[in-house]
Amino acid sequence: MSGRISEGVAPEKISNFQKSLDAISRFAAKGCSPDDVHTCTRDVKKQINPSVKAHLLRSALILLSLVIFNQDIFCQTPTPTATATATPSPTATECPRPTPGACTSYEAESNDNTLEGSAIVLSCPTCSDGFKVGYVGSNSGTLQFNAVGVVAPGNHTVTICYTNGDAVRYALLSVNGGQGMPVSFPSTGSFQTVGSKQITITLNTGCNTLKFYNPIVGNWAPDFDRIQFNCPTCTVSTPTPTPTPTLARRATVGDFNGDRHPDWVLRNARTSQTAIWYLNNNVYIGGALGPSIRAGWVLESAADFNRDSHPDYALFNPGTDQTAIWYMSGPTRIAGAYGPTLPGGWELTETADFNGNGFPDYVLFNATTDQTAIWYLNNNVYVGGGYGPTLPVNWSLVGVADFDREGHQDYVLFNVSNHRTAIWYLSGRTFLRGAYGPSIPSGWALVATADFNSDLKPDYLLYNAGTRQTAIWYMNDNVFVSAAFGPTLPAGWSLVGQ
């Protein structure tokens, strides 16, 4: 290297360049901290011969920049690091071979599998192990069964256990990364009824992968329970009862004084009294007592059912499955009427206009299946309905609002076990996509959504049941922007139902 530098370069220039390098070396040896870099650099400049040609000085400064960039090497004591132990890649021998002729099944919700995009684990009491994987397809969700072992290579018959409440659904099946083969799945009668489909595929010795997907936007595959070999039917033994998961409690909000700011409905569990707290954004400006809720009934939501510009109370009786509307003028009840009676196992959770006819509709929830449904109403009269999306395990519907501002109501979900939130974007009753929102701090719960700061974007209403403190999280779609505390509730009163 030194021989090539000296070709065609005067000795005195080489000497000057060497002096510059010596200065840089002294800079490195000084043990400079990041705060001393400017001072050390100035010292180096003083020691570089000013007669050095520009291209030689430039070379020296390049080396100087490299020294600064790697100052951790020169200025700090290296920290010993543990030597990483290589994780062996899966090999054919790692897949256990099933017993010849024995029924072997692979659960869709297994941690060994790969779920991508919109694919999620759903509760399914009629499925094996009580779970299934849904929302596969629509050019988003995929389900890949990994580590599928066989006794010998060749053609094998696989039984696909699935649920499908539509007339027919389709999926592509890719085996070991190969081209997808189309598979049609006829209706099983409902998304809680398990059916079977048998097809023949070619498998290798050792580990195999089976990937289900549908690349067409809006076209969904069925929900998958499991796949199995040497067992042609998908019979399931009676499931062991499991404890009902804790559901999130919700608050009731609405503009009761007509100032275009959401107000809160407070509840007194001892007296069943309600009260309206009028707010301007997060600031309390006044209040009034509302009607007391009758024994056996629960206040579930508030919306303008008779279109008189006043929000009304929507009530539900879990003992009789009856619903009722209490028509309000501000905090005063002026009339009442029964609404439709719900089927057994369902409860009223929210109200919003899903079909764009100007009347609030019912959002129903089945805690056993995690299924939702929309009942379209004209005032208090049922005019139609259909199933909505099934919620993931441990998630609760706590609000409805148009988060992406495309003219359709969206679901706001809260997971009480890990405090995560999510937005499910809908078109009418149809799930389009989902996105996580911010996680809620410990001790707090997401209890409602409304546009508190009048920026036309729904916000989060948070409540701490232990301290009765409230807070507003201002949102831009599913993104947290800022926050402010709201008023603290008086003793004996709560923002959520019991």
Side-chain angles (χ1 to χ4, degrees), residues 259-341:
D259 66 351
R260 299 185 179 180
H261 292 287
D263 307 311
W264 301 350
V265 180
L266 277 59
R267 311 147 191 255
N268 189 309
R270 184 178 62 84
T271 65
S272 299
Q273 180 84 51
T274 66
I276 313 297
W277 269 21
Y278 304 113
L279 279 90
N280 184 341
N281 196 342
N282 64 312
V283 179
Y284 170 83
I285 58 175
L289 291 177
S292 297
I293 306 300
R294 294 176 180 174
W297 291 82
V298 180
L299 173 62
E300 297 290 2
S301 185
D304 184 11
F305 284 88
N306 59 354
R307 302 176 68 177
D308 67 348
S309 300
H310 296 284
D312 309 308
Y313 280 7
L315 308 177
F316 174 62
N317 189 320
T320 63
D321 294 325
Q322 181 74 55
T323 68
I325 311 297
W326 280 9
Y327 302 106
M328 308 284 291
S329 177
T332 304
R333 177 192 171 195
I334 57 176
Y338 284 114
T341 299

Side-chain angles (χ1 to χ4, degrees), residues 70-86:
N70 293 284
Q71 59 185 297
D72 288 341
I73 297 175
F74 289 102
C75 304
Q76 297 183 18
T77 302
T79 302
T81 56
T83 302
T85 301

Side-chain angles (χ1 to χ4, degrees), residues 170-228:
Y170 300 92
L172 294 180
L173 171 58
S174 170
V175 178
N176 294 324
Q179 182 177 358
M181 58 181 294
V183 184
S184 63
F185 295 88
S187 176
T188 61
S190 77
F191 285 100
Q192 299 298 322
T193 303
V194 180
S196 63
K197 175 80 174 186
Q198 285 189 316
I199 60 174
T200 300
I201 56 177
T202 302
L203 299 177
N204 302 324
T205 302
C207 289
N208 295 267
T209 62
L210 278 67
K211 182 176 182 179
F212 293 93
Y213 63 101
N214 189 322
I216 302 176
V217 175
N219 284 13
W220 297 97
D223 295 348
F224 294 94
D225 177 14
R226 65 194 186 278
I227 60 173
Q228 54 194 29

Side-chain angles (χ1 to χ4, degrees), residues 431-461:
F431 171 84
L432 299 179
R433 59 189 175 88
Y436 284 115
S439 294
I440 307 302
S442 177
W444 293 79
L446 174 60
V447 295
T449 181
D451 178 16
F452 288 94
N453 58 352
S454 302
D455 65 350
L456 304 180
K457 300 172 184 177
D459 308 308
Y460 281 4
L461 173 58

Side-chain angles (χ1 to χ4, degrees), residues 100-255:
C103 177
T104 304
S105 64
Y106 301 87
E107 295 292 332
E109 72 277 5
S110 170
N111 291 331
D112 294 332
N113 298 336
T114 303
L115 279 64
E116 295 182 334
S118 56
I120 53 174
V121 176
L122 301 172
S123 174
C124 178
T126 58
C127 298
S128 62
D129 291 346
F131 297 100
K132 63 181 179 179
V133 172
Y135 296 101
V136 174
S138 192
N139 198 34
S140 174
T142 64
L143 165 63
Q144 178 170 295
F145 289 84
N146 299 317
V148 177
V150 294
V151 175
N155 293 334
H156 295 266
T157 299
V158 58
T159 301
I160 306 169
C161 303
Y162 70 97
T163 68
N164 177 21
D166 294 335
V168 63
R169 287 194 172 192
Y170 300 92
L172 294 180
L173 171 58
S174 170
V175 178
N176 294 324
Q179 182 177 358
M181 58 181 294
V183 184
S184 63
F185 295 88
S187 176
T188 61
S190 77
F191 285 100
Q192 299 298 322
T193 303
V194 180
S196 63
K197 175 80 174 186
Q198 285 189 316
I199 60 174
T200 300
I201 56 177
T202 302
L203 299 177
N204 302 324
T205 302
C207 289
N208 295 267
T209 62
L210 278 67
K211 182 176 182 179
F212 293 93
Y213 63 101
N214 189 322
I216 302 176
V217 175
N219 284 13
W220 297 97
D223 295 348
F224 294 94
D225 177 14
R226 65 194 186 278
I227 60 173
Q228 54 194 29
F229 298 86
N230 298 316
C231 27
T233 60
C234 294
T235 56
V236 179
S237 59
T238 303
T240 302
T242 56
T244 302
T246 302
L247 300 178
R249 297 186 295 172
R250 305 177 306 279
T252 299
V253 299
D255 180 13

